[in-house]
């Protein structure tokens, strides 16, 4: 349920397991869509999709999850079902959905993913999983088709979402630090690509710096793997979680200013969230 770039990539990947896959999207798929051509079956409603023994959702935010995974739709699923939420939602929404599914006799698992759509297509995601162990064991073979590792974080679903929020908060810092560093060296006439080669082969060799550093250096922001709006959404989740747990986030206002500026620019708003690199370049002289 939820067939944006990530949801579609995961659906196609899991379909290779040989399991019959039913898909549903708020905007119905076109008859010639890649998913339907691959043999996946389109459900007519969210309730029909949730009636499957195991269902998955990849919905954009708390609002979408709350609306689509409604009590009315879940009620049609009946008892003995498992639902896996693959999206980045707030810890508070995870609590609400855990109770809502439990009221319908359906087990709820949080399993937000780490990786971009192209990583999902190759089965290279890392998945943060939290929920009842017996249900996690049941769905693990399906999750395995889209991932290299599942990180089990305990019985409480909100833990997986809290960890994903923290991971994305750190990723936001990585994007901002690369954006500032690239702007600094380019202002001195150093090629941004050379700088990316330097920091990815010395101090910062992880996938985030390799992938996003190259995107920033080459200015390949379209198509977006993750949009500016979604980046701002994840920052808001971090701020929300910090407020709930009384944790200070001194750098959050700086990040918010950058992403709000990018979102307000019609030339940047629809691009990959790494496009914040252009803000630093625009001020360089």
């Amino acid at each position: 349920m939820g067939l944006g770039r990530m949801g579609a990539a995961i659906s196609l990947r899991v379909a290779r397991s040989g399991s019959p896959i039913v898909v549903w999207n708020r905007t119905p798929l076109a008859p010639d869509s890649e998913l339907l051509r691959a043999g996946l079956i389109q459900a007519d409603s969210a309730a029909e999709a949730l009636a499957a023994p195991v269902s998955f959702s990849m919905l954009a935010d708390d609002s979408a999850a709350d609306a689509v995974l409604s009590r009315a739709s879940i009620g049609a699923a009946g008892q003995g079902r498992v639902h896996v939420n693959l999206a980045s939602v707030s810890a508070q929404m995870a609590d609400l959905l855990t109770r809502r599914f439990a009221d319908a006799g359906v087990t709820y698992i949080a399993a937000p993913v780490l990786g971009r759509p192209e990583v999902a297509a190759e089965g290279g995601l890392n998945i943060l999983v939290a929920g009842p162990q017996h249900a996690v064991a049941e769905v693990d073979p399906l999750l395995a088709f889209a991932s290299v590792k599942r990180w089990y974080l305990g019985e409480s679903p909100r833990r997986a979402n809290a960890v994903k929020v923290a991971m994305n908060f750190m990723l936001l810092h990585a994007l901002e630090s690369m954006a500032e560093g690239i702007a600094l060296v380019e202002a001195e006439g150093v090629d941004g690509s050379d700088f990316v080669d330097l920091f990815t082969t010395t101090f910062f060799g992880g996938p985030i710096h390799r992938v996003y550093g190259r995107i920033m250096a080459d200015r390949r922001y379209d198509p977006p793997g993750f949009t500016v709006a979604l980046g701002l959404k994840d920052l808001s989740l971090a701020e929300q979680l910090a407020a709930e747990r009384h944790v200070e986030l001194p750098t959050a206002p700086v990040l918010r200013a950058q992403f709000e500026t990018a979102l307000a620019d019609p030339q940047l708003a629809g691009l990959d969230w790494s496009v914040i690199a252009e803000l630093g370049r625009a001020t360089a002289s």
Side-chain angles (χ1 to χ4, degrees):
M1 306 173 66
L3 301 171
R5 291 190 66 212
M6 181 64 83
I10 292 174
S11 297
L12 286 170
R13 182 73 189 182
V14 175
R16 297 181 188 177
S17 70
S19 300
I21 304 294
V22 173
V23 294
W24 178 86
N25 199 49
R26 286 177 290 177
T27 302
L29 298 173
D32 62 345
S33 73
E34 182 182 10
L35 291 168
L36 297 183
R37 286 189 282 108
L40 282 69
I41 302 166
Q42 184 165 209
D44 291 328
S45 66
E48 180 184 345
L50 284 166
V54 179
S55 57
F56 298 83
S57 59
M58 177 59 85
L59 300 161
D61 52 25
D62 279 19
S63 178
D66 191 27
V68 172
L69 304 176
S70 68
R71 182 62 181 84
S73 293
I74 297 169
Q79 295 190 352
R81 305 297 197 257
V82 177
H83 182 73
V84 184
N85 189 347
L86 300 164
S88 296
V89 298
S90 69
Q92 291 91 333
M93 180 54 63
D95 286 340
L96 186 154
L97 291 174
T98 299
R99 293 191 298 269
R100 187 179 291 174
F101 276 90
D103 288 345
V106 180
T107 301
Y108 179 81
I109 294 171
V113 305
L114 301 178
R116 291 169 61 87
E118 59 267 28
V119 175
E122 297 299 322
L125 296 173
N126 279 267
I127 304 181
L128 311 174
V129 186
Q133 284 187 319
H134 71 279
V136 170
E138 180 182 346
V139 303
D140 186 71
L142 293 172
L143 294 175
F145 279 98
S147 63
V148 292
K149 185 168 182 177
R150 277 76 59 213
W151 301 80
Y152 184 65
L153 297 167
E155 297 260 337
S156 173
R158 69 170 280 136
R159 283 190 176 182
N161 291 114
V163 171
K164 178 60 188 297
V165 166
M167 289 290 288
N168 276 5
F169 187 59
M170 294 174 67
L171 202 164
L172 287 163
H173 285 83
L175 295 178
E176 178 61 22
S177 69
M178 285 186 285
E180 293 177 15
I182 290 171
L184 279 173
V185 302
E186 288 183 343
E188 286 293 328
V190 176
D191 188 277
S193 292
D194 292 340
F195 183 58
V196 171
D197 288 341
L198 171 64
F199 68 67
T200 56
T201 56
T202 54
F203 294 157
F204 304 103
I208 293 302
H209 289 86
R210 291 198 307 270
V211 171
Y212 284 108
R214 185 56 53 198
I215 289 173
M216 288 177 170
D218 297 342
R219 294 176 159 167
R220 290 185 289 103
Y221 307 120
D222 193 26
F226 202 73
T227 64
V228 173
L230 290 176
L232 187 58
K233 180 264 293 187
D234 280 349
L235 175 59
S236 297
L237 294 182
E239 293 169 329
Q240 182 180 338
L241 183 62
E244 179 187 359
R245 295 303 192 190
H246 307 290
V247 174
E248 293 282 343
L249 300 178
T251 57
V254 174
L255 294 170
R256 173 165 289 279
Q258 290 291 81
F259 277 84
E260 287 182 344
T261 298
L263 194 61
D265 187 329
Q267 294 185 318
L268 304 182
L271 300 177
D272 192 87
W273 60 340
S274 56
V275 78
I276 60 167
E278 298 308 304
L279 300 179
R281 283 169 164 148
T283 60
S285 60

